[in-house]
Amino acid sequence: MMPGRLGMPIAQEPLWISWHDSNWIPILNPTNVMDYFSEKSNPFYDRTCNNELVKMQRQSLEQLNNMIGVEFILLHVQDPILYVIRKQHRHSPTEATPLADYYIIAGTVYQAPDLASVFNSRLLSAVHHLQSAFEEASGYSRYHPNKGYTWDFSSNKALTDKTKTQTKKESAPTKEEASSLFQRKRVDMLLGELIRKFPLPMPTTHQNPARHEPPANVNGNIKKEPPETVDTKPNVGTNQQTNGAGE
């Protein structure tokens, strides 16, 4: 098992563990949160603290100000979700040194990390990313006796093109399947039934007699046709033939 920040296994390191009691969570409030924290199964609670002595003597927690040693106090309350408890070493009624902070969120107790642990985690994360970047960059360097050191990103480009091709294939729309013969006939039958039940109204059109417009000439003026001439002369030839036939 790997050693943790304090030289102990990670499973036993306080920053990697949490604790809760399901029986207390529904009734947890600012008046009983210290009793909840002082449960025997809580691994963050110190049995040798002054709180335990006051509890055994059934005294008020205000007596802690007159004692010297390790104690737990309720530092911050944001009811009903957050409680902050501080572990400190009291030297006098007006002087105390903080040792650790614990926060309770929704009934679960965690130990707050100290400043050294935060800096250590940030530095390790930054060093890891820098080391990964240097290792990847060194993989693209090439050396030639005539040219010296050069950079070759062809493998990275091929990998990028391959990734883009896979992305295009995944994002391409899938072709919809054609409808079956049963579906088409079923739709046609339903449409026919709807048309029989609800026939379309026939449009009623009023036909107006078209006006006869005289044709227009080239200049756009209406060409006036000459009036029709009626032949009033008698048909002499016809009358003669008729008379001849009668004779």
Side-chain angles (χ1 to χ4, degrees), residues 131-219:
Q131 185 177 0
S132 300
F134 280 121
E135 289 178 357
E136 183 177 358
S138 63
Y140 299 118
S141 63
R142 301 290 184 271
Y143 177 76
H144 192 273
N146 296 332
K147 298 180 180 180
Y149 285 98
T150 56
W151 298 99
D152 183 12
F153 297 99
S154 58
S155 59
N156 188 23
K157 183 178 179 181
L159 182 61
T160 305
D161 295 340
K162 184 178 180 181
T163 305
K164 289 182 178 179
T165 304
Q166 292 179 354
T167 306
K168 288 182 180 179
K169 289 182 179 180
E170 293 176 358
S171 61
T174 56
K175 187 177 181 180
E176 297 183 357
E177 297 182 359
S179 59
S180 61
L181 181 62
F182 170 77
Q183 293 173 342
R184 291 195 295 272
K185 286 188 176 182
R186 186 67 177 175
V187 172
D188 294 340
M189 184 182 67
L190 293 175
L191 292 177
E193 291 181 358
L194 290 175
I195 292 175
R196 285 194 296 270
K197 290 182 180 179
F198 306 100
L200 297 176
M202 300 299 296
T204 57
T205 57
H206 300 282
Q207 297 180 356
N208 296 327
R211 294 180 60 188
H212 177 69
E213 298 291 342
N217 55 12
V218 178
N219 297 328

Side-chain angles (χ1 to χ4, degrees), residues 59-78:
Q59 298 179 359
S60 174
L61 293 178
E62 297 178 357
Q63 297 295 327
L64 293 174
N65 296 331
N66 302 323
M67 302 176 67
I68 298 175
V70 178
E71 64 182 15
F72 292 91
I73 62 170
L74 182 60
L75 182 65
H76 177 72
V77 175
Q78 187 175 345

